[in-house]
Amino acid sequence: MEPTRDILIVDDDRQVRDVLHQIFLTAGYNCRLAQDGREGVAMFRAARPPLTVTDLKMPVMTGIELLQQVREVDGDAAVIVLTGAADVKTAIESLKLGAYDFIMKPVNVDELLIAADRALERRQLLVERRQYHAMLESRVEQATHHLAAAYRELESTYRATLEALGSALDTRDVGTEAHSRRVHGYALATAREYGFAEVELRDLAHGVLLHDIGKIGIPDSILLKPGPLTAEEWGIMRTHPEIGRRLIEKIPFLRGAVPIVYAHHEKWDASGYPRGIGGEDIPVGARIFSVVDAFDAMTFDRPYSKAIPFDAAKAELKRCAGSHFDPAVVEAFLRVPEPLLEEIRRRSAEP
């Protein structure tokens, strides 16, 4: 794109002004004329010409002052200063302030026009480079936005898949339909009360939804057995945390869920399984899960037990705090508002 050939000529000498006007008019420039620096700055503010040619020594406002004010208005403005032999030092100083070039008087027409053309070209390159960088930044921003949206959509798909998988696992365990969705909601609410940051909730959510994924490896003859399990059958059933760990630990997206899947049957007093660890050796996500899982088991009808009221279930959690459950997690759960617990339970029954 050809640079706009508009020029502002600033000189207090009318004769010099007229000569410069004729030189640039003949060369195809659109000219504006100012008789001092103050008038020149006013014209520049109004018209923003890409090129300014100014004398250095002028009354009212010097060329140096004009240069400074013009560059404040437009950092890309191309400015050429005209100077006599006595002001060469000042002219050189003007270069440090952003002037493109200085021309010695008396002016050589060819030298002046070449300097003007180069100044406009340089300005145009600066403008185009800035526009190019802005365009690149805009594209990067758009790409980042699209990538973030795609990632959110992918996460949403993962979450829906995990919820479906959790529900499918529930259907294999008689009487626990929608159990994973309820426990998922209770666990997130408890974790927030416990002090989890929002960014920490994803792994907890995945672990809760997949806590029983290891039951995929348990024979239906054991998993769906209507009566009590034999000691040998219990031994097989207790392998499901290890099976679950092996299933998901090699999936990067789900690696944060492993501690819950592997430790969700451990107890605070170390009487659980599969490792028999206790206290704070149990991952905090698993400690949260054990509390909300027990609450759900007590407040929802199962083939082998009838639901009890929320208050009774909370009293039982308090009684077992320090033995089965982490007391601090129990306290966090008890701070969850009961209307929220009711809402989580109601939503879990929705299709």
Side-chain angles (χ1 to χ4, degrees):
M1 185 175 66
E2 284 292 323
T4 305
R5 295 176 70 81
D6 289 343
I7 186 170
L8 171 62
I9 299 168
V10 187
D11 201 301
D12 62 311
D13 188 316
R14 180 176 180 178
Q15 185 176 1
V16 173
R17 231 176 21 250
D18 290 343
V19 170
L20 293 172
H21 185 194
Q22 285 303 313
I23 290 172
F24 284 107
L25 197 61
T26 303
Y29 283 80
N30 306 311
C31 304
R32 290 178 173 80
L33 307 178
Q35 63 185 356
D36 59 52
R38 183 177 297 168
E39 185 180 17
V41 169
M43 284 188 174
F44 184 86
R45 290 181 184 278
R48 301 288 181 88
L51 177 61
T52 299
V53 174
T54 180
D55 191 16
L56 275 181
K57 292 186 68 175
M58 294 182 293
V60 183
M61 180 186 290
T62 67
I64 289 292
E65 293 173 296
L66 177 141
L67 168 64
Q68 290 173 314
Q69 293 199 27
V70 161
R71 297 281 293 177
E72 286 177 4
V73 174
D74 181 0
D76 294 325
V79 180
I80 296 174
V81 298
L82 306 178
T83 182
D87 294 316
V88 170
K89 184 177 179 181
T90 305
I92 293 173
E93 287 296 318
S94 73
L95 300 180
K96 297 178 182 178
L97 296 173
Y100 176 75
D101 205 349
F102 67 90
I103 303 294
M104 297 288 294
K105 295 179 179 178
V107 172
N108 178 289
V109 174
D110 290 337
E111 182 185 358
L112 178 60
L113 292 177
I114 289 172
D117 286 345
R118 287 177 176 171
L120 283 178
E121 288 173 2
R122 178 176 178 273
R123 179 187 184 279
Q124 188 67 15
L125 285 173
L126 289 173
V127 171
E128 289 176 357
R129 184 175 66 179
R130 182 174 293 107
Q131 291 172 343
Y132 178 69
H133 285 166
M135 180 268 292
L136 285 180
E137 289 175 0
S138 175
R139 288 187 178 179
V140 168
E141 184 178 349
Q142 289 175 7
T144 302
H145 174 76
H146 293 323
L147 183 62
Y151 182 74
R152 287 194 298 271
E153 184 176 351
L154 183 62
E155 279 206 317
S156 177
T157 302
Y158 277 146
R159 185 167 56 251
T161 302
L162 295 179
E163 287 178 359
L165 181 56
S167 296
L169 292 170
D170 287 345
T171 63
R172 295 194 75 232
D173 202 353
V174 176
T176 60
E177 290 78 10
H179 165 69
S180 288
R181 277 187 285 174
R182 290 193 301 274
V183 173
H184 172 265
Y186 296 155
L188 294 185
T190 303
R192 289 188 176 100
E193 290 292 338
Y194 188 82
F196 272 41
E198 289 298 314
V199 295
E200 298 176 290
L201 296 179
R202 188 183 74 164
D203 288 341
L204 175 67
H206 293 170
V208 168
L209 289 171
L210 296 175
H211 69 278
D212 270 345
I213 192 171
K215 288 184 177 179
I216 289 174
I218 303 301
D220 284 354
S221 60
I222 295 175
L223 190 66
L224 305 180
K225 185 177 179 178
L229 299 181
T230 67
E232 182 181 357
E233 288 170 336
W234 264 117
I236 294 171
M237 177 67 84
R238 290 187 177 197
T239 64
H240 77 270
E242 173 62 28
I243 295 171
R245 180 183 69 81
R246 291 201 305 266
L247 281 173
I248 67 172
E249 67 181 354
K250 293 181 181 179
I251 304 173
F253 179 69
L254 297 177
R255 200 164 287 147
V258 169
I260 298 171
V261 171
Y262 193 33
H264 69 280
H265 279 295
E266 304 288 359
K267 291 183 172 60
W268 185 254
D269 61 4
S271 63
Y273 67 90
R275 290 174 292 168
I277 58 176
E280 294 188 359
D281 289 338
I282 304 171
V284 65
R287 283 182 264 148
I288 289 173
F289 171 83
S290 66
V291 169
V292 297
D293 181 60
F295 176 79
D296 186 65
M298 289 187 286
T299 57
F300 213 82
D301 283 338
R302 300 285 182 95
Y304 45 81
S305 64
K306 290 294 182 183
I308 63 176
F310 278 14
D311 286 348
K314 289 179 179 180
E316 182 65 12
L317 292 177
K318 282 185 179 181
R319 186 182 72 80
C320 295
S323 55
H324 285 187
F325 309 122
D326 177 353
V329 171
V330 171
E331 288 301 315
F333 174 77
L334 295 176
R335 290 196 297 271
V336 177
E338 192 154 312
L340 177 56
L341 297 176
E342 294 281 5
E343 175 66 11
I344 291 168
R345 178 169 173 155
R346 183 190 64 78
R347 287 203 309 263
S348 72
E350 295 176 354

